[in-house]
Amino acid sequence: MSKTSTSTLQLAPVYRETFDRLFSGEKDNTWLPMRRSAMQSFESIGLPGPRTEAWRYTNLAKVSAMPFVPAPSTEKLQALELEKLEAVRLDGIRLVFENGRYRESLSSLQSLPIGAIVGSLARHHDHPKVKEYLQQNLPLENEAFVALNTAFMPDGAFVFIPRGVQIEQPIHLVFVNDARQEASVAFPRNLIIAEESSSVVVVESWHSLPGSQSGFTNAVTEAFTGRNAKLELVKLQLEDRSALHIGHTQATVQRDATFNINTITLGGALVRNNLGILLSEEHATAHLFGLYLLAGNQHVDNHTLVDHAVPHGLSNELYKGVLDQQSEGVFSGKILVRKDAQKTNAYQSNKNILLSDDAVMNAKPQLEIFADDVKCSHGATTGQLDEEALFYLRSRGIGEAGARAFLNIAFAADVINNIPLESLREQLMQRIEKKLLDSAP
C-alpha cells in the first residue's frame, strides 16, 4: 500500500487535528492507547492511492473530497422515521444505532439466557471479554480504514453468547447514518463472540436517511466463533444511492465451528466490503455468500480472503452480481492455504450478469496454495442472460421483459436461499423482485 499518495499528504493533518481535538482531554479512557496506536498506523499507511493494487478498481475521490467531520451524536432519529426507513422487519432483539451510537429508546431488548449480552460496545468497554477480544486479529498495519475506525469509533454493538447457549431468535442490528445537516463520517464498531458450543444469528442492516447528503460509513465488525459453535451473520446494505460505505468484517473460526456470512448489497453509491476469515483450528468451516444488484452509477467492490491456517478446513464461497446501466462491480477473492493446512477443501465462484453494454465488472479470483494434499477450485464468469432459457420462457407466453426479470430473480435466489431466516428471505426476495421487475424495459 502506498505510503505517499497525494490524498494522504493533503488529508493527514486534518485527521490528526480532529483526533487531538476529540481525544486530547481524555485521560482514563480504556480505549485511548488503542486509539493513539491506530491513529499512528493510519498516518503511516495513509489513504489508498490509485497505485494501491487492492484498490485498483475503486476510485476513492468521493471519500477524499468529503470534509472530514465525524458524525455527531444528534439523537434526532424518531421512531416514525425509523419505521418508514426499515426495509426488513424481524421478530427478535433489535438494537438501533444512529451515527454509530446506541439509541436505547429505539431499541427492543428481550430477556436473554444467563450470561448472554447484547448491547452497546461503549457501555461494556471495561467488560473482560471486550478487553480480551477487541482489536485482537485486525490488520491495523495495512488497512487504512480499519485503523481510522479504531481511532475514531464511538460505539457499536457488543454481542456475547456464552458457552453452550443457543439464541433462538435473531439479533437485528440497525445502523442509520444521518447526514441531513452536513456530510459526515460514522464509525460504528461491532464485536460478536460466540463461545464454545453456542449458536446465534446476527443481522446487520445499514441505512441512510432520505434526503441526506453524502454520508460516509466506515464500519468494522469483529466476529469470533468458538469451538463447535455456529455463528451466522447477514449484512444488508440498503443505504441511499448517495451513501458511501467502506466496511471490514474479520472472523476467526475455531475447531469444529461454523461461520456463515451473507452480504447483500442493494444500495449505496460507493460500497467496499472487505471480508477476512481465519480458519484457525482443525475442522473449521466457513460459507461466504454475496449478492449485489447494481444500477445507475453504483460502484460495489467485494474483497475476500479466506486463510486456511491448519488442516481439515472447509470454505465455500459464492458471489453473484447483476449490473445494469453504468454500474461497476469488483470481486477480488483469495483463498490462502498454508503449508500445514493439508486436507483442505476450498471452493470459490463469482458469477455476473451484465444487463447493459455500459456496465463493467472486474473479477479476480485467486488461489495461493502451499500444501500439496488439498481440493481447491475457483472461477469467475461474466456475461449476458442465457438466451436458451430466455427463449424457453418466451415460448410459454411470457413477454421478453418479464422473462428477463424472472431469470435474474432466479439468479439472485441462488444466494438469498442461503440466508438462515425464512421471513428475511421472503422480504428480501420481494424487494429484489420489485427492483428487477420495475427496471425491466
Side-chain angles (χ1 to χ4, degrees), residues 94-342:
R94 183 182 73 166
L95 271 68
V96 177
F97 297 84
E98 180 182 1
N99 289 346
R101 295 172 174 83
Y102 179 50
R103 288 290 309 277
E104 185 172 3
S105 62
L106 299 176
S107 300
S108 175
L109 292 175
Q110 302 179 9
S111 61
L112 290 166
I114 295 175
I117 298 172
V118 179
S120 155
L121 181 64
R123 293 184 185 180
H124 292 87
H125 68 94
D126 275 334
H127 192 283
K129 295 295 181 182
V130 174
K131 291 183 176 180
E132 179 181 353
Y133 284 93
L134 189 66
Q135 192 56 44
Q136 186 185 90
N137 290 324
L138 281 172
L140 275 185
E141 69 282 358
N142 56 11
E143 290 288 350
F145 289 101
V146 171
L148 198 60
N149 174 282
T150 304
F152 287 93
M153 60 180 182
D155 198 359
F158 175 46
V159 177
F160 172 67
I161 312 301
R163 180 180 180 180
V165 170
Q166 323 290 316
I167 303 294
E168 300 297 333
Q169 292 186 311
I171 297 170
H172 188 188
L173 310 177
V174 181
F175 298 90
V176 180
N177 192 347
D178 181 3
R180 287 175 293 184
Q181 299 300 317
E182 61 179 336
S184 58
V185 190
F187 296 101
R189 179 64 164 265
N190 305 316
L191 177 61
I192 304 170
I193 304 168
E195 284 197 324
E196 182 176 350
S197 300
S198 66
S199 69
V200 64
V201 177
V202 179
V203 178
E204 295 179 2
S205 65
W206 300 88
H207 311 265
S208 53
L209 285 169
S212 295
Q213 302 182 52
S214 295
F216 174 28
T217 298
N218 175 199
V220 172
T221 295
E222 298 174 80
F224 295 87
T225 311
R227 292 182 176 182
N228 196 41
K230 186 173 186 180
L231 171 55
E232 299 190 75
L233 179 60
V234 182
K235 297 172 70 76
L236 308 175
Q237 287 166 323
L238 307 170
E239 291 142 314
D240 185 79
R241 284 285 187 89
S242 66
L244 313 178
H245 183 118
I246 295 178
H248 189 110
T249 299
Q250 188 72 36
T252 301
V253 191
Q254 295 184 333
R255 185 182 183 90
D256 295 320
T258 299
F259 174 72
N260 296 340
I261 181 167
N262 290 265
T263 304
I264 312 300
T265 304
L266 303 180
L270 184 152
V271 175
R272 164 80 172 217
N273 298 311
N274 285 339
L275 171 59
I277 297 177
L278 170 63
L279 303 183
S280 63
E281 296 183 2
E282 294 188 13
H283 299 286
T285 298
H287 297 281
L288 304 74
F289 301 103
L291 174 69
Y292 36 97
L293 302 184
L294 312 181
N297 293 309
Q298 285 184 279
H299 178 99
V300 172
D301 181 348
N302 285 291
H303 269 237
T304 68
L305 168 62
V306 181
D307 185 347
H308 287 262
V310 293
H312 300 288
L314 167 65
S315 66
N316 180 35
E317 182 172 8
L318 173 64
Y319 273 66
K320 285 189 162 187
V322 179
L323 293 82
D324 200 359
Q325 299 171 336
Q326 295 80 39
S327 61
E328 296 181 355
V330 181
F331 173 80
S332 178
K334 182 176 180 178
I335 296 172
L336 171 61
V337 182
R338 297 185 184 273
K339 183 179 179 180
D340 295 332
Q342 304 293 349

Side-chain angles (χ1 to χ4, degrees), residues 355-393:
L355 301 180
S356 161
D357 292 339
D358 296 324
V360 176
M361 183 68 207
N362 291 291
K364 186 179 180 183
Q366 304 167 74
L367 289 176
E368 192 170 333
I369 301 174
F370 297 97
D372 52 19
D373 186 10
V374 301
K375 294 180 180 178
C376 298
S377 67
H378 67 158
T381 60
T382 299
Q384 283 74 44
L385 285 172
D386 186 335
E387 290 298 328
E388 289 188 10
L390 193 60
F391 176 79
Y392 175 82
L393 289 176

